[in-house]
Amino acid sequence: MGELRAAAAEPSARHSSGWDEERSDFHRAQQPRALKAMGVGHEWWWLRYVNHHLLRRKFDLRRVIIAVIAIVCLFMLVFEITHHELYRLAPFQQPGSEALSVPGQCTTWPVGADGAYTPIHSHRNGTTAGLKSLAPKGGWKKPAGIKIVALVFYGRKRTVDFLDCYLLQNLAANGGYLDEIRFMVHTNKEEDVEYLKDLVSKREEHYHIVDGGACEGSSYGCIWDSIVEDDTIYVKIDDDIIFIHPDAIPQLVNTRIASPHPFAVSANLVNSPLTGYEHFHVGAIHAFRPDPSDTPTHAAAESWRPSQKSRLAASSVPDIDLSKAGRIPDREIFPARSYFGHPFLLSDDPFDLMKSPMGLNHLRGGDKGVEAMYEGAWKSWAIAAQQQYSLLQNLEDDAVARYFFGSPMAFPLRGIRANTSAVALKHQQAHAGGPGAEQLYNTQYKRYNLNFVALWGHDVKAALPIAEDDEQDLTVTAPRRARRPFVIDTRAVVGHLSFYPQHEGVRETDLLDRWRAFANEMVCSPRNQKTPFDARCPGF
């Protein structure tokens, strides 16, 4: 070994008579063992450069390493910040940028080569009379003396196109509760902006556009600055709400009046980590898994009912040892897409629920902790899809009551008098004995999703300015500061399409087509039937 070192050192000595032997021995010792074993007696060119140039100039290599590490850490920090902002501002495009190419923006409906299509349910009367209702005797009656405004946080046309049917159904002019619809614009994507302008121009009496102004492209916090009118209940609705039960808005508003102490009242979201696992435990989630086929197994059709598709074959359910939660593979919770426009199929065996994405994530959560379970439910497109196919099954069964949980809540009188506004108490007294607040769930200041929530204008005004992360501020920070809970009315059931990490996977399914089909048959009027924006998916 000594001879090998001498041989390796000889070329360097000839090039530099003033060589630092201690440093050269150290660096020669760092050569890979394989090279030493092969008798490589010369240094690599880059090592010679370091030895002959940097070290001869007394360059401190440790400082270089520290500087490189610092630069890499700074880069990672900037990346995380910008990545978070991308998630927060997904609908917004910088001027001149190209639209994100979202896989799955195709349809499973039998549209023609020119994109033309006539919905098959145009003869329907556009009502949801087929769904059971918890309306009081005589039906829902809009409370007097209160203005009710829907705030649609807008960025995407594909879901708002059939959300329009639900908004029209809930207008006070049509027997519902909403006096006005305001679209809070948070995009500058031309096709989405132009679509909204055209939609509003057809419904100018009730639909209005609120430009983002200084908020355009920034956080959602400053959008709340104008939501401050007295004697007004605002119902904030995200643009990817894909189902609103006919009881949901009346129930939510009446609960907002009947229970004035909570800071805000949320609807019962289908596709939310928190309520999703409550639904799992009360029997509202079914054993759906992705279609295991590589190519479409069903013809192009306008349909929403799960029963119209075949059942999942027992051989397609994975053989997983459920007793070893720590070994559940990620691919079962974050599966790869099979083909564009694929459905989820229902298993015949109810026990297979534990082998579905939600069941496996729940088991793994028992091993890794509840926060890991919630994180998986927020990120997994398959869990989002399973919740929505379960909702479609429950709608086909006319069994939305499967989602109800919670109970009436009595809040300490001392706290109510100290922290509840006189305006809210006045309206509570004026509508005493009315419906609302029958089944509530207190989130106990845990963060909840802000996709569909009712607030008083004076409460928003008192909480201003709202932080950039408006969801954290309005579901945790402001309620805790005001010593008033944030609650969920579990009788107000609505469906939510996807969170940011779920977008691509969900849009590669046929869910958007199914929700459009449901709206056409059950909600939209014959003259307001909706058609796809996109070409037919390959293979259909």
Side-chain angles (χ1 to χ4, degrees):
M1 181 62 71
E3 294 174 358
L4 181 60
R5 289 188 177 179
E10 187 175 351
S12 298
R14 283 198 295 266
H15 285 287
S16 176
S17 58
W19 185 247
D20 183 338
E21 288 297 330
E22 182 178 352
R23 283 182 179 266
S24 64
D25 285 344
F26 170 78
H27 283 279
R28 281 194 296 273
Q30 306 311 304
Q31 291 187 41
R33 293 179 180 176
L35 294 181
K36 292 181 181 181
M38 292 168 61
V40 176
H42 61 275
E43 295 161 312
W44 294 343
W45 69 267
W46 56 268
L47 189 56
R48 288 203 303 272
Y49 179 83
V50 172
N51 288 341
H52 287 231
H53 294 275
L54 299 183
L55 295 178
R56 283 184 64 187
R57 296 177 187 179
K58 298 183 179 180
F59 197 94
D60 193 337
L61 193 59
R62 286 176 296 181
R63 291 184 180 179
V64 174
I65 295 172
I66 292 172
V68 170
I69 293 173
I71 292 171
V72 171
C73 290
L74 179 62
F75 173 81
M76 292 176 66
L77 177 62
V78 171
F79 174 79
E80 283 301 315
I81 293 173
T82 54
H83 180 266
H84 174 72
E85 286 305 304
L86 177 62
Y87 140 65
R88 291 282 300 144
L89 309 175
F92 185 77
Q93 280 187 280
Q94 294 298 331
S97 64
E98 295 183 0
L100 292 175
S101 177
V102 181
Q105 285 194 177
C106 58
T107 181
T108 60
W109 287 16
V111 299
D114 60 352
Y117 180 71
T118 301
I120 61 175
H121 293 295
S122 59
H123 64 282
R124 299 282 181 164
N125 60 7
T127 68
T128 48
L131 297 179
K132 292 178 182 177
S133 172
L134 293 176
K137 187 176 181 180
W140 295 107
K141 305 295 183 184
K142 183 180 182 296
I146 301 172
K147 184 178 181 180
I148 302 170
V149 178
L151 306 170
V152 180
F153 279 40
Y154 176 80
R156 294 159 287 193
K157 68 179 183 180
R158 281 176 173 77
T159 45
V160 167
D161 189 47
F162 57 85
L163 177 61
D164 168 57
C165 296
Y166 291 98
L167 297 174
L168 290 173
Q169 182 186 60
N170 281 279
L171 278 175
N174 295 330
Y177 272 44
L178 301 177
D179 294 301
E180 180 186 351
I181 315 292
R182 296 180 193 171
F183 291 90
M184 318 299 285
V185 177
H186 198 261
T187 183
N188 65 354
K189 188 176 179 182
E190 186 175 355
E191 67 169 298
D192 291 315
V193 172
E194 290 304 314
Y195 165 83
L196 182 62
K197 289 179 180 178
D198 180 64
L199 177 66
V200 171
S201 70
K202 300 172 184 176
R203 323 202 193 291
E204 290 181 338
E205 184 178 356
H206 303 291
Y207 284 20
H208 305 286
I209 295 176
V210 179
D211 290 327
C215 294
E216 187 177 88
S218 65
S219 70
Y220 289 95
C222 60
I223 291 182
W224 294 91
D225 290 350
S226 64
I227 304 169
V228 295
E229 297 164 88
D230 291 331
D231 297 312
T232 301
I233 292 176
Y234 294 98
V235 182
K236 188 263 190 182
I237 303 173
D238 273 3
D239 64 353
D240 63 344
I241 292 296
I242 38 75
F243 167 75
I244 303 174
H245 191 277
D247 286 347
I249 290 177
Q251 178 70 32
L252 202 62
V253 168
N254 280 291
T255 293
R256 176 67 291 186
I257 296 169
S259 187
H261 183 55
F263 179 80
V265 183
S266 173
N268 187 357
L269 287 171
V270 174
N271 187 21
S272 164
L274 181 61
T275 45
Y277 274 101
E278 294 295 332
H279 301 158
F280 181 87
H281 290 300
V282 298
I285 304 299
H286 305 290
F288 281 94
R289 287 183 57 89
D291 182 357
S293 302
D294 294 328
T295 57
T297 54
H298 305 91
E302 178 185 344
S303 65
W304 63 267
R305 292 173 174 82
S307 65
Q308 293 174 335
K309 296 290 191 290
S310 59
R311 291 295 181 113
L312 184 70
S315 60
S316 299
V317 178
D319 184 15
I320 298 175
D321 187 348
L322 300 181
S323 66
K324 298 178 180 179
R327 297 184 183 180
I328 294 173
D330 281 349
R331 66 176 179 273
E332 294 298 332
I333 300 171
F334 303 93
R337 164 187 48 83
S338 49
Y339 55 88
F340 290 119
H342 69 92
F344 271 41
L345 304 178
L346 182 62
S347 170
D348 282 321
D349 186 351
F351 184 72
D352 286 342
L353 178 62
M354 298 312 297
K355 293 185 178 181
S356 69
M358 283 196 79
L360 294 170
N361 187 57
H362 178 261
L363 291 173
R364 199 161 69 165
D367 183 64
K368 295 186 176 182
V370 68
E371 291 302 323
M373 181 183 74
Y374 286 150
E375 182 181 7
W378 179 71
K379 290 181 176 179
S380 170
W381 70 268
I383 290 178
Q386 184 182 354
Q387 291 180 74
Q388 291 177 68
Y389 284 99
S390 295
L391 176 56
L392 288 165
Q393 183 66 55
N394 293 329
L395 289 171
E396 185 173 3
D397 295 342
D398 194 12
V400 174
R402 289 171 179 164
Y403 290 98
F404 300 169
F405 58 96
S407 60
M409 291 187 178
F411 300 101
L413 187 60
R414 181 179 178 183
I416 292 174
R417 289 174 176 172
N419 303 317
T420 306
S421 74
V423 174
L425 291 172
K426 176 190 71 175
H427 287 296
Q428 179 197 34
Q429 294 169 2
H431 298 89
E438 297 88 355
Q439 289 183 276
L440 301 182
Y441 177 86
N442 188 342
T443 62
Q444 300 292 341
Y445 302 125
K446 294 190 297 288
R447 180 172 178 142
Y448 189 59
N449 308 114
L450 204 63
N451 302 91
F452 204 109
V453 61
L455 308 95
W456 283 105
H458 59 260
D459 284 332
V460 176
K461 185 176 182 179
L464 292 177
I466 303 302
E468 291 187 5
D469 186 352
D470 60 339
E471 185 173 278
Q472 175 72 17
D473 207 17
L474 292 173
T475 66
V476 178
T477 307
R480 189 190 298 274
R481 183 172 59 237
R483 300 180 66 82
R484 298 168 62 190
F486 184 97
V487 300
I488 300 168
D489 187 329
T490 70
R491 291 190 176 187
V493 178
V494 303
H496 168 235
L497 185 65
S498 59
F499 296 108
Y500 180 70
Q502 302 168 340
H503 284 351
E504 286 195 11
V506 169
R507 290 179 185 180
E508 292 173 357
T509 69
D510 66 353
L511 275 169
L512 200 63
D513 286 336
R514 286 178 181 255
W515 288 120
R516 189 190 310 108
F518 179 88
N520 273 353
E521 180 181 338
M522 304 293 285
V523 189
C524 303
S525 70
R527 291 185 297 178
N528 193 31
Q529 295 287 288
K530 306 300 183 178
T531 59
F533 289 97
D534 306 298
R536 198 186 302 190
C537 292
F540 281 91

